[in-house]
Every structure is written in C-alpha cells, then in structure tokens.
Amino acid sequence: MRPHPAPMTASSMNPLPRDESSPGLQARLARVMPELEFRVHQPLIEAINRLKKERDAVILAHNYQTPEIFHGVADVVGDSLRLAREAAQTDATRIVVCGVNFMAETAKLLNPDKTVLIPDAEAGCSLAESITPDDVQRLRAAYPDAPVVAYVNTSAEVKALSDVCCTSANAVQIVESLGVPRVIMIPDVFLARNVAAATAVEIIAHDGRCIVHEQFKARDIRELREADPGLAILAHPECPPDVLQEADFSGSTEAMARWVDQHKPSRVVLLTECSMSDNVAVQHPEVDFQRPCNLCPYMKRITLPKILQCLESEREVVTIPVHTAQRARQAIERMLQLSA
Ligand code: 13P
Ligand code: SF4
C-alpha cells in the first residue's frame, strides 16, 4: 500500500483529499477553527505534507489528535485497532505516529524493519503507566489457569508477558474467542468491568484507569439527559460502568464516529476526549456536538511543529529490544488474527 497520492484513510471519518487546497481545508475546518488560527497552522500543514512525500513517510493519527493534524496532515485516521491494522499494511519507508507511545510501539512491532517515529516521546498514557511487568507476573501466579488479555494501552514489556492483546473495539470478541471460563484482563478496571457485563467469562482485573474517562460521572450524565431528553449520549468503554448504563451507545472511538454517521442525531455528546468531537463535527455540519468532554494531556503533546521537526530530524525513533519485541508481536498478531 502506498501513502501517495491516494490517502489511505479507511475510517468511518471521511477520507481526506491530501491535495486539498488550503482554502478548501480552511472552509471545512471553519466550524471548529477560527480563520486566524488556521492561518497559523497553514504553513506548517503545507510543509509537513511536502516533506512526508519527499521522505516516503505515512502519517497515522488517532481520533484524539487535534483537527489541524487529523484533517490537515494525516494519511490514516482511526481508533487503536484501525491504526494497528493500517500499520501492518503500509509499504511506506517511514511511519510517523501521531498518537501516544503504545500506538507507536504497536506500529513498530508490526514493522520491525521500518523507521517508526513519534513526534514527542513523552506522549504516554495513564493506563500504560498503571501496570508493570511485575504486576503481570503476580497476577499470573495468582491465577495460573487464566490467560492474560492485555489492552493495547500497555507497554511492549507488558504485552510481551501477555497471551493476546485487545482494543476497545474487539475486547469482548477477543475474551470470548479464547474459550476459557476465566481471563486476566489488564490494565483498565473499567474496561474489564464493562467487558464482564457483556460476557459470561469471569474477568480478573487490575486497577488501572484512564485519566480522561474516569472523570465522567453517572450523576452528571443523568442530569444532561433530564435537561435534554433528545440528546444522544455515546460513551467510550474506558468510562465507569454506571456511566455506560446512562448512555445510548458504547464503543471505540471509531465505533462512536460510525454511530453518528449512521444515526445522524440532531444533538449528541461524545463522552471521551474533546478533539474527537471536533474531528467528527467537521464531517457532520448538521449535528450539534455538545459537551462535556475531557482533554488527554498525553495526546495533546503532539503538535504540528513537532511533527515537522520529527520529519526533518528523524526523531524520536521508536526502538524495542528484540526479545521483548518478538513476544509482544505475538500478542498483537494473535489479536489481529482473532478479530480479522
Ligand atoms: P480507541 O481504540 O477506542 O480509539 O481508544 C484508544 C484510547 O486511548 C482511548 O482513550
Ligand atoms: Fe491513555 Fe486515556 Fe489518553 Fe487514551 S485518553 S491515551 S487511555 S490517558
């Protein structure tokens, strides 16, 4: 698969014409970005799009990236599963991941011979940081018969000690595909409880949390609903279970975007990261996107100047020790097979 000239975008969010003129892009972004702000981004967008062609680089951007990245420079956009799948397909020489470290590591695991770059190596994730390899060993020792299902939001070291990975898009499917009565599911306690509610498989959880999604409270969502019964409420499965119970739909970031595509609600709130609403709003001028939402400080470390610098200086290069990579890759590849 080549990144140029055709965009590789395959998410439910529309493919972007990468040769789109600046006035065209500015008009599309007008709903979420004042013209003055666009003028600041414009030279950087043009420089990045020029340089990535010269360097044979493809830019993968998660749905939480800001609109100027998501709509301005990304070749592929989507949720964690989409980015992993597309990373496995690309034949570009360089892969720039606009997302957080675990996403860049996943791209590297699936492309050991390519240069994988992340514009800011400090782009972490509270879930990935909540669990260590020792924690996994302890859980394994306590439940020796239970396979370990690692959410992709984990380090390569933790994946290397796991049997299979999952994302928010396929967690229930992966857990059920193992055909066992009990699994260890790490590290997100809320995702684990939400999966447990959807399956008969017993789930042993770790106490990790996403700092973005744990902030949503069921009481606040009930008040939103009472104030506006016609409001569609969509929640990410990293939210607490009582929040999901108040929602009309729960799914991965890409599944939420698809729900909006299909249902075209007049008013909607996406209980997730704020840029997600902005990015979907660009495609749905007829839909009123309401708040609350929360910002992910890790995702927001990625900016246009850092992407340009990353392409210019080839930094930061993602590296994973060979032994860790071999075992972590197996967990990722098993997930891709089971959820094909
Ligand atoms: P998705 O896989 O649903 O995009 O979620 C990734 C993530 O980090 C959510 O906080
Ligand atoms: Fe991690 Fe939460 Fe940020 Fe997603 S939103 S990257 S889970 S901290």
Side-chain angles (χ1 to χ4, degrees):
M1 179 171 54
R2 304 299 299 173
H4 311 295
M8 299 193 302
T9 312
S11 114
S12 58
M13 300 181 187
N14 290 338
L16 310 175
R18 242 329 102 249
D19 53 356
E20 184 177 26
S21 68
S22 281
L25 180 60
Q26 195 249 312
R28 281 199 313 118
L29 294 185
R31 185 175 184 204
V32 295
M33 190 181 293
E35 186 179 346
L36 211 60
E37 188 187 333
F38 181 81
R39 296 280 159 239
V40 173
H41 295 315
Q42 186 182 351
L44 288 160
I45 291 173
E46 289 171 1
I48 290 167
N49 285 331
R50 219 174 17 248
L51 195 56
K52 75 180 182 188
K53 281 186 194 164
E54 286 169 25
R55 299 276 158 97
D56 191 26
V58 62
I59 297 184
L60 311 185
H62 185 259
N63 292 328
Y64 294 164
Q65 292 294 295
T66 51
E68 65 275 14
I69 295 173
F70 185 96
H71 292 284
V73 301
D75 300 294
V76 177
V77 294
D79 64 7
S80 306
L81 183 60
R82 169 82 57 199
L83 298 188
R85 284 198 174 125
E86 297 288 343
Q89 301 289 318
T90 185
D91 62 2
T93 313
R94 293 173 183 78
I95 303 172
V96 178
V97 177
C98 296
V100 293
N101 267 327
F102 75 81
M103 296 174 179
E105 283 191 342
T106 302
K108 181 64 185 175
L109 290 171
L110 294 169
N111 293 277
D113 300 327
K114 289 187 198 290
T115 301
V116 176
L117 300 158
I118 182 160
D120 186 330
E122 301 297 310
C125 166
S126 67
L127 281 171
E129 286 155 21
S130 74
I131 189 158
T132 65
D134 282 351
D135 294 326
V136 185
Q137 303 282 30
R138 266 192 295 275
L139 281 163
R140 272 201 184 281
Y143 302 95
D145 297 335
V148 176
V149 179
Y151 195 29
V152 279
N153 301 39
T154 44
S155 66
E157 289 77 15
V158 165
K159 288 184 178 79
L161 294 172
S162 306
D163 294 286
V164 62
C165 289
C166 75
T167 72
S168 60
N170 61 21
V172 174
Q173 185 189 6
I174 296 292
V175 163
E176 294 193 333
S177 72
L178 299 177
V180 292
R182 178 155 79 178
V183 305
I184 298 166
M185 196 171 176
I186 54 169
D188 186 345
V189 66
F190 294 142
L191 180 69
R193 286 190 200 152
N194 289 325
V195 169
T199 172
V201 179
E202 184 190 352
I203 311 279
I204 308 298
H206 176 74
D207 196 23
R209 287 145 201 257
C210 162
I211 54 169
V212 170
H213 294 93
E214 72 171 348
Q215 293 181 51
F216 294 110
K217 302 287 175 239
R219 189 190 54 237
D220 300 341
I221 310 309
R222 262 195 304 280
E223 280 173 15
L224 270 180
R225 172 86 72 200
E226 278 160 22
D228 182 359
L231 177 68
I233 300 176
L234 279 54
H236 193 275
E238 289 170 13
C239 293
D242 57 352
V243 168
L244 258 63
Q245 273 164 23
E246 301 295 332
D248 298 297
F249 175 78
S250 164
S252 77
T253 54
E254 190 164 318
M256 284 195 269
R258 206 163 37 238
W259 194 97
V260 174
D261 273 348
Q262 287 166 356
H263 292 80
K264 306 217 177 339
S266 53
R267 296 175 307 289
V268 68
V269 61
L270 306 183
L271 299 177
T272 190
E273 214 273 347
C274 298
S275 291
M276 169 88 195
S277 293
D278 289 341
N279 290 331
V280 186
V282 168
Q283 259 110 30
H284 290 283
E286 75 288 3
V287 179
D288 177 13
F289 287 79
Q290 299 192 2
R291 298 301 188 247
C293 64
N294 299 316
L295 285 169
C296 173
Y298 305 103
M299 287 279 178
K300 295 306 77 117
R301 294 189 75 94
I302 309 298
T303 60
L304 289 177
K306 288 184 194 171
I307 298 170
L308 184 58
Q309 204 188 5
C310 166
L311 281 165
E312 281 169 348
S313 61
E314 292 235 332
R315 289 183 59 212
E316 301 286 336
V317 176
V318 178
T319 55
I320 304 170
V322 177
H323 184 61
T324 304
Q326 274 168 354
R327 290 161 58 195
R329 186 177 305 119
Q330 285 171 7
I332 290 278
E333 283 177 347
R334 192 167 175 203
M335 170 188 80
L336 292 177
Q337 282 158 10
L338 290 173
S339 64

